[in-house]
Amino acid sequence: MKKVVDIDLVLAKADKFYEKCNFQPALQQYQKVVKLSGREDIGDKIAVCKKELEKLSAKDMIKRARKNLKKKKIKPALDFFRKAYKITGENWLAEKIDELESRDQSNTAQNAAQSAEKKGEYLKAAQLYGQSAGDKGNNKFCNKMAECFVKAKKYKDAIAAYQTISINLDRDFYYYGFALAKEGNSFKCLKMWDKLINHYQGLTEQKKIIATQLILDILEQYKNNQDIGRIYEQALYIINFPGCDAEPWLKDLLEYARLKFIEKLWDKKDFESVANIIFNENPDSRFQLIKPEMITIGAKVGYHLYEKSGFSQNDFPMYWINSVYNHNNFKNDLKESEVIRKELLKKAEQKIKKKDSALSSKESQRALAWWDLEKKIITELKCLAENLGEGVENVCTPLYAARVSKSQEVLKWLNAHEDSFVDSEKWLETGSYFTPAIQALYLAKSGEYEKAFQEIALLKNNSDNNEFITFGINKVEFEYGMFLFENGASRLGRYFKTAGNFFSRALSYEKKFARMAMESEKTEDICKYEEILGVIHNSRPSKLINKAFSFVMTTRAIDLYNLDKLSLKAFNGLVKKALRFDPENEFAQATLENNKTQIQIVNLDNALGKHKISKACDIVINADNWEVERAFFDFMENIIDSADSHLTDNFTNLDKILLFNEILQGCEKVDSTHAMNDRIKMLIARID
């Protein structure tokens, strides 16, 4: 017997699956209802189920595609993405398919390129690597393409390819330079090969061959009246080329090209480029300012740059002073040169002051301060070079050295001649201006201590700091601390934690600071000095710091005592503490001795006030001090006068005799010859 199916029950079951988004069983149940009953009113739900199931299928396809991509299986991944796209038609899937198809083709082209390269078919390999690079130009494949062009002797194509890509590897620098040389550009070839980190075998010989060709190229350019700037640049390069023994005619050509190029730049008013020629050349080939009048030319460069709109006023000393002190003038330093130099410096200073009148007070202060500092340092270096008879090429200002990356060169020179300085402090201070601390030191010089302190904060944690940098950092920290001191700040100890280390190499600063501390008179300043000296003592207890600390501590104790903020006992304790820091502190010694007398007199008063005459006598005898003894007899005289002049019923003659006898015993015990003894005896006799 055939089983009867309840259509309503099947439909209810299908709806339940549908509501729970369980579309696969819902579809099966709906289709069963249609088959059994022929109902058409559930067609929409059947369509929804099919649509949702297609989406689920598409998601599954995408998931499988991504799994294949992770395994670098591009073809299977493409198949799954295509199937998903047929279902959904989403744009991103179409883009993904295009990308993978391009990668698939690229991989095919890459494999073919590698195969062609191995076979020596370099032109074919270059073309295939170009295809592998794709539209976006994969840098790796572009580099390989250019390299294969070189190997295929297609040098122009190689140069064109290298010009469009970034180059970082030695092999690329080499092949690019090789292609340039083959196309007749010897100068660019050598410049490219200069970038090589590791030299290939035989490269030195190749460079010599190309350098020889460059000399011929320079001569040819000169004969054909080509660009004088390019001739100058290339001649300067080849003369400084390692191992190049330049012919005299080449040096003459360089001088000629240099002068003609300067003339051309001057006509164009390109004074910055003129300055670069004068200042930035290799020391062995720098512009020869031998004649005194040539000093003026160099100075004019700085003048024009200073006048140029937008040119920083702080650069003016750099350009002007380094022109005036150009090292070539020291070879035959004529008196005439020195007169011109002084005159130019004077004019420059007038120029700065005149222009500073239009500036703010801070800008004006900076310009003059930096000018004085630049002038001071370059003068010291000039004297050093003259005394040593060498190193004139290192005579420059710190700003100039920093601008042209010459600071390390100057420091190396200073390091080699520490003994030529008056002391290590002068040596370190001079060298510190040629370190990364330069900006902070210059700002401090112009009174911009807040900015200077911010600058050194960036340097303090650098593990590469040498003794010059450390000196500069400590110097700025000390000066910043004193700036805060003078401007009324409190709790200054934390700003002087490195002062001890600084003073160990800067004795003149230590002496000045100790003198200022000992000469201070304001209670507030004395308090600050005591705090700071305590911090410095803890880090470096030098004799001078201990002396100042002891003196200030004594002065501070006196101030507190005079303000009734210290008891005599506490005051005495502080002075004794001060003497521990400097046992030779005569001021503290005298103060302590005076304290001792005052304490003895106070103890004497207490004893006599309680009528303990015997104890009072012991105090006087042990004190062995005439002031204490005088106080004792003054007190006794007051008692005698009081007792003798006040006769009352309660104070009889017998009482007086007993009192006077007790006083007499005490006075004789202290000093048997004192006149007070005779007076007391007379009083006793009169009463009897």
Side-chain angles (χ1 to χ4, degrees):
M1 184 177 177
K2 192 174 181 180
K3 185 178 180 181
V4 178
V5 179
D6 188 340
I7 299 299
D8 292 335
L9 186 61
V10 175
L11 184 59
K13 190 176 181 181
D15 287 338
K16 188 174 182 181
F17 282 128
Y18 184 86
E19 289 172 0
K20 292 183 178 180
C21 297
N22 199 345
F23 299 109
Q24 183 63 46
L27 178 60
Q28 292 173 352
Q29 295 301 319
Y30 282 133
Q31 288 174 337
K32 187 175 181 180
V33 171
V34 171
K35 183 178 179 181
L36 294 174
S37 66
R39 292 182 57 168
E40 296 180 357
D41 57 334
I42 56 176
D44 290 342
K45 289 185 177 181
I46 290 173
V48 170
C49 287
K50 288 181 178 180
K51 186 68 175 176
E52 292 299 327
L53 287 172
E54 285 178 350
K55 287 182 180 179
L56 290 173
S57 177
K59 287 181 180 179
D60 183 57
M61 296 295 174
I62 293 169
K63 186 177 180 181
R64 292 185 184 186
R66 284 173 173 162
K67 281 184 178 180
N68 278 284
L69 275 182
K70 286 182 180 179
K71 297 176 182 179
K72 298 185 179 179
K73 296 180 179 180
I74 296 178
K75 288 188 180 295
L78 261 173
D79 291 339
F80 283 119
F81 276 126
R82 284 168 181 156
K83 289 176 182 179
Y85 179 66
K86 285 181 181 179
I87 295 171
T88 66
E90 294 180 356
N91 290 334
W92 75 270
L93 281 171
E95 293 173 359
K96 191 69 176 177
I97 290 166
D98 289 341
E99 178 193 337
L100 291 177
E101 286 176 344
S102 176
R103 282 173 61 181
D104 188 37
Q105 292 170 4
S106 175
N107 286 344
T108 303
Q110 180 187 351
N111 293 333
Q114 290 172 343
S115 177
E117 187 178 7
K118 287 178 182 178
K119 294 176 183 178
E121 299 172 351
Y122 296 117
L123 183 57
K124 180 180 178 182
Q127 293 166 346
L128 288 168
Y129 276 126
Q131 293 177 24
S132 301
D135 296 334
K136 294 183 179 179
N138 182 291
N139 206 66
K140 174 183 175 183
F141 296 135
C142 287
N143 287 345
K144 289 295 294 181
M145 175 184 69
E147 181 182 326
C148 286
F149 273 133
V150 175
K151 292 177 179 178
K153 300 183 179 180
K154 297 292 183 181
Y155 303 118
K156 288 183 179 179
D157 293 332
I159 292 171
Y162 278 124
Q163 287 175 342
T164 61
I165 58 179
S166 59
I167 303 175
N168 301 303
L169 301 176
D170 276 0
R171 61 183 299 115
D172 296 323
F173 289 130
Y174 175 77
Y175 281 115
Y176 192 5
F178 189 89
L180 289 166
K182 286 295 184 180
E183 284 298 310
N185 201 328
S186 304
F187 178 60
K188 286 188 177 180
C189 167
L190 291 172
K191 295 283 282 185
M192 190 60 61
W193 282 353
D194 285 343
K195 297 178 182 179
L196 286 166
I197 298 173
N198 302 304
H199 283 205
Y200 297 116
Q201 186 177 3
L203 180 65
T204 302
E205 290 303 316
Q206 286 181 305
K207 291 180 78 171
K208 287 181 179 178
I209 294 170
I210 303 301
T212 302
Q213 182 60 48
L214 177 57
I215 293 174
L216 297 175
D217 291 346
I218 292 170
L219 184 57
E220 191 65 25
Q221 291 178 65
Y222 171 69
K223 288 179 179 178
N224 295 328
N225 293 319
Q226 294 187 14
D227 182 62
I228 196 68
R230 186 165 67 249
I231 293 173
Y232 161 71
E233 182 185 10
Q234 294 180 10
L236 178 63
Y237 175 86
I238 201 64
I239 279 182
N240 292 293
F241 188 80
C244 177
D245 187 14
E247 296 289 334
W249 68 264
L250 185 58
K251 292 182 179 179
D252 292 339
L253 177 59
L254 173 63
E255 276 307 310
Y256 172 78
R258 180 190 284 117
L259 292 168
K260 294 297 290 184
F261 190 36
I262 288 176
E263 183 181 346
K264 181 180 177 181
L265 293 170
W266 199 283
D267 290 341
K268 292 167 60 178
K269 296 187 178 180
D270 186 358
F271 300 111
E272 277 189 301
S273 295
V274 175
N276 286 333
I277 293 174
I278 293 174
F279 300 133
N280 296 353
E281 285 188 13
N282 183 289
D284 295 330
S285 61
R286 213 169 281 170
F287 188 39
Q288 301 295 302
L289 292 174
I290 297 176
K291 297 180 180 179
E293 57 267 24
M294 293 304 290
I295 304 174
T296 309
I297 294 176
K300 284 180 179 178
V301 173
Y303 177 86
H304 285 295
L305 286 170
Y306 188 51
E307 290 292 299
K308 184 178 176 181
S309 176
F311 188 75
S312 171
Q313 72 197 38
N314 296 324
D315 285 342
F316 180 52
M318 183 190 74
Y319 280 101
W320 189 283
I321 294 177
N322 285 283
S323 297
V324 172
Y325 279 93
N326 186 280
H327 74 271
N328 289 291
N329 299 304
F330 308 155
K331 294 177 180 177
N332 297 298
D333 204 13
L334 306 174
K335 290 183 179 180
E336 184 183 356
S337 298
E338 191 58 37
V339 171
I340 293 174
R341 181 181 292 119
K342 289 181 179 180
E343 186 63 28
L344 287 169
L345 289 173
K346 182 179 178 181
K347 287 183 177 180
E349 192 163 337
Q350 291 172 347
K351 185 70 177 175
I352 291 173
K353 290 179 178 178
K354 183 179 179 181
K355 191 158 187 175
D356 284 351
S357 62
L359 302 174
S360 67
S361 58
K362 285 186 177 180
E363 290 175 322
S364 175
Q365 181 181 357
R366 173 188 287 187
L368 288 171
W370 288 23
W371 166 263
D372 290 339
L373 183 57
E374 291 269 272
K375 191 169 59 173
K376 171 178 173 287
I377 294 173
I378 199 169
T379 302
E380 291 172 351
L381 294 184
K382 176 179 179 290
C383 292
L384 177 63
E386 288 174 338
N387 292 336
L388 293 172
E390 58 93 3
V392 290
E393 69 277 3
N394 295 310
V395 176
C396 60
T397 65
L399 286 178
Y400 163 71
R403 177 68 64 86
V404 299
S405 302
K406 190 181 173 67
S407 299
Q408 286 301 316
E409 187 181 332
V410 177
L411 278 180
K412 186 177 179 180
W413 180 56
L414 293 176
N415 251 328
H417 299 290
E418 179 181 356
D419 295 340
S420 299
F421 285 81
V422 176
D423 51 38
S424 62
E425 176 186 334
K426 192 63 182 175
W427 173 67
L428 284 168
E429 184 172 29
T430 303
S432 67
Y433 287 104
F434 294 91
T435 71
I438 177 175
Q439 187 69 12
L441 289 166
Y442 270 65
L443 288 169
K445 182 65 178 178
S446 55
E448 299 169 84
Y449 295 105
E450 296 285 356
K451 290 181 179 179
F453 192 70
Q454 291 171 7
E455 286 287 332
I456 62 167
L458 304 174
L459 300 172
K460 289 184 68 174
N461 298 323
N462 192 336
S463 59
D464 295 331
N465 287 348
N466 56 37
E467 55 186 331
F468 291 111
I469 300 175
T470 301
F471 183 91
I473 290 172
N474 292 163
K475 182 174 184 287
V476 172
E477 286 179 318
F478 172 73
E479 291 178 345
Y480 179 63
M482 292 307 298
F483 164 74
L484 294 176
F485 184 108
E486 292 166 4
N487 284 272
S490 58
R491 299 181 63 185
L492 295 171
R494 62 186 184 275
Y495 298 106
F496 290 86
K497 290 182 179 179
T498 61
N501 182 52
F502 175 57
F503 286 162
S504 69
R505 306 303 299 273
L507 296 180
S508 68
Y509 283 85
E510 183 181 43
K511 289 178 182 177
K512 182 179 179 181
F513 179 77
R515 186 181 71 251
M516 289 169 62
M518 295 172 70
E519 291 177 354
S520 61
E521 296 180 354
K522 294 182 180 179
T523 301
E524 183 182 357
D525 289 349
I526 293 170
C527 181
K528 290 178 183 178
Y529 275 120
E530 184 179 15
E531 177 195 359
I532 296 168
L533 285 164
V535 171
I536 299 173
H537 167 81
N538 290 336
S539 64
R540 178 180 168 270
S542 71
K543 184 176 181 180
L544 188 55
I545 289 299
N546 286 349
K547 181 179 179 180
F549 192 24
S550 176
F551 188 90
V552 169
M553 190 179 291
T554 304
T555 306
R556 168 91 168 133
I558 292 172
D559 283 350
L560 290 173
Y561 180 72
N562 290 337
L563 293 170
D564 292 330
K565 292 183 178 180
L566 275 183
S567 66
L568 189 60
K569 184 177 181 181
F571 172 52
N572 200 48
L574 276 179
V575 178
K576 285 181 178 179
K577 182 180 178 181
L579 276 171
R580 287 202 299 270
F581 292 107
D582 179 20
E584 298 177 1
N585 185 348
E586 294 180 358
F587 178 45
Q589 290 172 352
T591 302
L592 193 62
E593 186 63 33
N594 187 49
N595 291 353
K596 183 179 177 182
T597 301
Q598 289 187 42
I599 291 172
Q600 289 170 341
I601 291 174
V602 169
N603 292 336
L604 177 67
D605 287 343
N606 290 336
L608 291 173
K610 296 177 181 179
H611 202 67
K612 295 180 179 181
I613 294 178
S614 179
K615 183 178 179 181
C617 291
D618 291 338
I619 291 172
V620 177
I621 293 169
N622 291 331
D624 192 23
N625 184 295
W626 69 271
E627 289 187 59
V628 178
E629 183 178 319
R630 184 180 66 181
F632 172 80
F633 282 106
D634 286 346
F635 192 91
M636 291 303 180
E637 187 175 11
N638 289 335
I639 293 176
I640 292 170
D641 289 343
S642 178
D644 187 40
S645 59
H646 294 84
L647 297 175
T648 64
D649 295 338
N650 296 325
F651 200 67
T652 64
N653 286 340
L654 181 60
D655 292 330
K656 283 186 180 183
I657 291 172
L658 292 174
L659 174 63
F660 289 161
N661 278 324
E662 185 179 5
I663 292 173
L664 179 61
Q665 289 177 6
C667 289
E668 288 179 337
K669 186 177 180 181
V670 171
D671 182 2
S672 59
T673 63
H674 198 281
M676 179 66 70
N677 298 335
D678 293 334
R679 182 188 171 191
I680 296 172
K681 289 175 182 178
M682 289 175 60
L683 288 172
I684 293 173
R686 191 181 68 185
I687 295 172
D688 288 341

Short mmCIF file of all heavy atoms in Angstrom, two decimals, residues 478-505:
data_model
loop_
_atom_site.label_atom_id
_atom_site.label_comp_id
_atom_site.label_asym_id
_atom_site.label_seq_id
_atom_site.Cartn_x
_atom_site.Cartn_y
_atom_site.Cartn_z
N PHE A 478 75.41 72.93 31.97
CA PHE A 478 75.85 73.83 33.04
C PHE A 478 75.36 75.25 32.79
O PHE A 478 74.83 75.90 33.70
CB PHE A 478 77.37 73.80 33.15
CG PHE A 478 77.93 74.82 34.09
CD1 PHE A 478 77.80 74.67 35.47
CD2 PHE A 478 78.56 75.97 33.62
CE1 PHE A 478 78.29 75.63 36.34
CE2 PHE A 478 79.07 76.93 34.48
CZ PHE A 478 78.93 76.75 35.85
N GLU A 479 75.53 75.72 31.57
CA GLU A 479 75.12 77.09 31.25
C GLU A 479 73.61 77.25 31.34
O GLU A 479 73.12 78.31 31.74
CB GLU A 479 75.63 77.47 29.85
CG GLU A 479 77.14 77.62 29.79
CD GLU A 479 77.66 77.94 28.40
OE1 GLU A 479 76.89 77.77 27.44
OE2 GLU A 479 78.82 78.37 28.29
N TYR A 480 72.88 76.22 30.98
CA TYR A 480 71.41 76.27 31.10
C TYR A 480 71.02 76.34 32.58
O TYR A 480 70.12 77.10 32.97
CB TYR A 480 70.79 75.04 30.45
CG TYR A 480 69.28 75.00 30.55
CD1 TYR A 480 68.49 75.97 29.94
CD2 TYR A 480 68.63 73.99 31.25
CE1 TYR A 480 67.11 75.94 30.02
CE2 TYR A 480 67.25 73.94 31.34
CZ TYR A 480 66.49 74.91 30.72
OH TYR A 480 65.11 74.87 30.81
N GLY A 481 71.71 75.56 33.40
CA GLY A 481 71.45 75.61 34.84
C GLY A 481 71.70 76.99 35.42
O GLY A 481 70.90 77.51 36.21
N MET A 482 72.78 77.63 35.01
CA MET A 482 73.09 78.97 35.50
C MET A 482 72.09 79.99 34.97
O MET A 482 71.75 80.96 35.66
CB MET A 482 74.51 79.37 35.08
CG MET A 482 75.61 78.56 35.75
SD MET A 482 75.48 78.55 37.56
CE MET A 482 75.68 80.28 37.95
N PHE A 483 71.60 79.76 33.75
CA PHE A 483 70.56 80.63 33.19
C PHE A 483 69.31 80.57 34.06
O PHE A 483 68.70 81.61 34.38
CB PHE A 483 70.26 80.19 31.76
CG PHE A 483 68.98 80.74 31.20
CD1 PHE A 483 68.86 82.06 30.81
CD2 PHE A 483 67.86 79.91 31.06
CE1 PHE A 483 67.67 82.56 30.30
CE2 PHE A 483 66.67 80.40 30.55
CZ PHE A 483 66.57 81.73 30.17
N LEU A 484 68.91 79.37 34.45
CA LEU A 484 67.74 79.21 35.32
C LEU A 484 68.00 79.84 36.68
O LEU A 484 67.10 80.46 37.27
CB LEU A 484 67.42 77.72 35.48
CG LEU A 484 66.95 76.98 34.22
CD1 LEU A 484 66.75 75.50 34.52
CD2 LEU A 484 65.64 77.58 33.69
N PHE A 485 69.22 79.68 37.19
CA PHE A 485 69.61 80.27 38.48
C PHE A 485 69.39 81.78 38.45
O PHE A 485 68.76 82.36 39.34
CB PHE A 485 71.08 79.95 38.74
CG PHE A 485 71.59 80.42 40.07
CD1 PHE A 485 71.86 79.52 41.08
CD2 PHE A 485 71.82 81.78 40.33
CE1 PHE A 485 72.34 79.96 42.31
CE2 PHE A 485 72.30 82.22 41.54
CZ PHE A 485 72.56 81.31 42.55
N GLU A 486 69.92 82.41 37.41
CA GLU A 486 69.85 83.87 37.30
C GLU A 486 68.44 84.39 37.06
O GLU A 486 68.15 85.56 37.29
CB GLU A 486 70.77 84.35 36.18
CG GLU A 486 72.25 84.14 36.49
CD GLU A 486 73.14 84.28 35.27
OE1 GLU A 486 72.59 84.63 34.20
OE2 GLU A 486 74.35 84.05 35.38
N ASN A 487 67.57 83.50 36.59
CA ASN A 487 66.19 83.91 36.32
C ASN A 487 65.22 83.47 37.41
O ASN A 487 64.01 83.40 37.18
CB ASN A 487 65.74 83.38 34.96
CG ASN A 487 66.32 84.17 33.80
OD1 ASN A 487 65.77 85.17 33.36
ND2 ASN A 487 67.48 83.73 33.32
N GLY A 488 65.77 83.15 38.58
CA GLY A 488 64.93 82.94 39.75
C GLY A 488 64.34 81.56 39.91
O GLY A 488 63.48 81.35 40.78
N ALA A 489 64.76 80.60 39.13
CA ALA A 489 64.21 79.24 39.26
C ALA A 489 64.70 78.61 40.55
O ALA A 489 65.73 78.99 41.11
CB ALA A 489 64.61 78.39 38.06
N SER A 490 63.96 77.62 41.05
CA SER A 490 64.34 76.91 42.27
C SER A 490 64.53 75.43 41.97
O SER A 490 64.29 74.98 40.86
CB SER A 490 63.26 77.11 43.35
OG SER A 490 62.01 76.64 42.87
N ARG A 491 64.97 74.68 42.98
CA ARG A 491 65.22 73.24 42.84
C ARG A 491 66.09 72.97 41.60
O ARG A 491 65.72 72.27 40.67
CB ARG A 491 63.91 72.47 42.74
CG ARG A 491 63.03 72.62 43.97
CD ARG A 491 61.74 71.83 43.83
NE ARG A 491 62.01 70.41 43.73
CZ ARG A 491 61.07 69.49 43.49
NH1 ARG A 491 59.81 69.87 43.32
NH2 ARG A 491 61.39 68.22 43.42
N LEU A 492 67.28 73.54 41.64
CA LEU A 492 68.15 73.52 40.47
C LEU A 492 69.12 72.34 40.44
O LEU A 492 69.83 72.15 39.45
CB LEU A 492 68.97 74.83 40.42
CG LEU A 492 68.15 76.11 40.22
CD1 LEU A 492 69.03 77.32 40.42
CD2 LEU A 492 67.54 76.13 38.83
N GLY A 493 69.17 71.59 41.52
CA GLY A 493 70.16 70.52 41.63
C GLY A 493 70.17 69.56 40.45
O GLY A 493 71.22 69.13 39.98
N ARG A 494 68.96 69.25 39.93
CA ARG A 494 68.87 68.27 38.83
C ARG A 494 69.54 68.75 37.55
O ARG A 494 69.86 67.94 36.68
CB ARG A 494 67.40 67.93 38.56
CG ARG A 494 66.54 69.10 38.11
CD ARG A 494 65.08 68.64 38.03
NE ARG A 494 64.17 69.65 37.52
CZ ARG A 494 63.61 70.58 38.25
NH1 ARG A 494 63.90 70.65 39.54
NH2 ARG A 494 62.76 71.45 37.71
N TYR A 495 69.74 70.05 37.42
CA TYR A 495 70.37 70.58 36.21
C TYR A 495 71.90 70.61 36.32
O TYR A 495 72.58 71.00 35.37
CB TYR A 495 69.86 71.99 35.92
CG TYR A 495 68.38 72.04 35.64
CD1 TYR A 495 67.49 72.55 36.58
CD2 TYR A 495 67.86 71.54 34.45
CE1 TYR A 495 66.13 72.59 36.34
CE2 TYR A 495 66.50 71.57 34.20
CZ TYR A 495 65.64 72.09 35.15
OH TYR A 495 64.29 72.12 34.89
N PHE A 496 72.44 70.21 37.47
CA PHE A 496 73.88 70.26 37.68
C PHE A 496 74.47 68.88 37.98
O PHE A 496 75.56 68.77 38.53
CB PHE A 496 74.21 71.23 38.82
CG PHE A 496 73.98 72.67 38.47
CD1 PHE A 496 72.73 73.24 38.63
CD2 PHE A 496 75.00 73.46 37.96
CE1 PHE A 496 72.49 74.57 38.30
CE2 PHE A 496 74.78 74.79 37.64
CZ PHE A 496 73.53 75.35 37.80
N LYS A 497 73.74 67.84 37.58
CA LYS A 497 74.22 66.48 37.84
C LYS A 497 75.49 66.14 37.06
O LYS A 497 76.27 65.29 37.47
CB LYS A 497 73.12 65.47 37.52
CG LYS A 497 71.96 65.51 38.51
CD LYS A 497 70.90 64.46 38.17
CE LYS A 497 69.77 64.49 39.19
NZ LYS A 497 68.72 63.51 38.87
N THR A 498 75.68 66.80 35.91
CA THR A 498 76.89 66.53 35.11
C THR A 498 77.95 67.62 35.30
O THR A 498 78.99 67.57 34.64
CB THR A 498 76.52 66.45 33.61
OG1 THR A 498 75.96 67.70 33.18
CG2 THR A 498 75.52 65.33 33.35
N ALA A 499 77.68 68.57 36.19
CA ALA A 499 78.62 69.68 36.38
C ALA A 499 79.96 69.19 36.92
O ALA A 499 81.02 69.71 36.55
CB ALA A 499 78.03 70.73 37.31
N GLY A 500 79.93 68.17 37.78
CA GLY A 500 81.18 67.62 38.32
C GLY A 500 82.06 67.07 37.23
O GLY A 500 83.27 67.32 37.19
N ASN A 501 81.45 66.32 36.33
CA ASN A 501 82.20 65.77 35.19
C ASN A 501 82.72 66.90 34.29
O ASN A 501 83.85 66.84 33.79
CB ASN A 501 81.29 64.83 34.39
CG ASN A 501 82.02 64.18 33.23
OD1 ASN A 501 83.08 63.61 33.40
ND2 ASN A 501 81.45 64.28 32.04
N PHE A 502 81.89 67.92 34.09
CA PHE A 502 82.29 69.06 33.28
C PHE A 502 83.45 69.80 33.92
O PHE A 502 84.44 70.13 33.25
CB PHE A 502 81.09 69.99 33.10
CG PHE A 502 81.39 71.27 32.38
CD1 PHE A 502 81.94 71.25 31.10
CD2 PHE A 502 81.15 72.50 32.98
CE1 PHE A 502 82.24 72.44 30.43
CE2 PHE A 502 81.43 73.68 32.32
CZ PHE A 502 81.98 73.65 31.04
N PHE A 503 83.37 70.04 35.24
CA PHE A 503 84.43 70.76 35.94
C PHE A 503 85.76 70.00 35.92
O PHE A 503 86.83 70.61 35.98
CB PHE A 503 84.03 71.03 37.39
CG PHE A 503 82.99 72.11 37.56
CD1 PHE A 503 82.26 72.22 38.73
CD2 PHE A 503 82.74 73.00 36.53
CE1 PHE A 503 81.31 73.21 38.88
CE2 PHE A 503 81.79 74.00 36.68
CZ PHE A 503 81.07 74.11 37.86
N SER A 504 85.69 68.67 35.83
CA SER A 504 86.93 67.88 35.82
C SER A 504 87.76 68.19 34.58
O SER A 504 88.97 67.99 34.58
CB SER A 504 86.61 66.38 35.87
OG SER A 504 85.99 65.95 34.66
N ARG A 505 87.11 68.66 33.49
CA ARG A 505 87.82 69.01 32.26
C ARG A 505 87.77 70.51 31.99
O ARG A 505 88.32 70.96 30.99
CB ARG A 505 87.22 68.26 31.06
CG ARG A 505 87.14 66.75 31.22
CD ARG A 505 88.50 66.12 31.51
NE ARG A 505 89.46 66.34 30.46
CZ ARG A 505 89.60 65.55 29.40
NH1 ARG A 505 88.82 64.49 29.24
NH2 ARG A 505 90.54 65.77 28.50
#
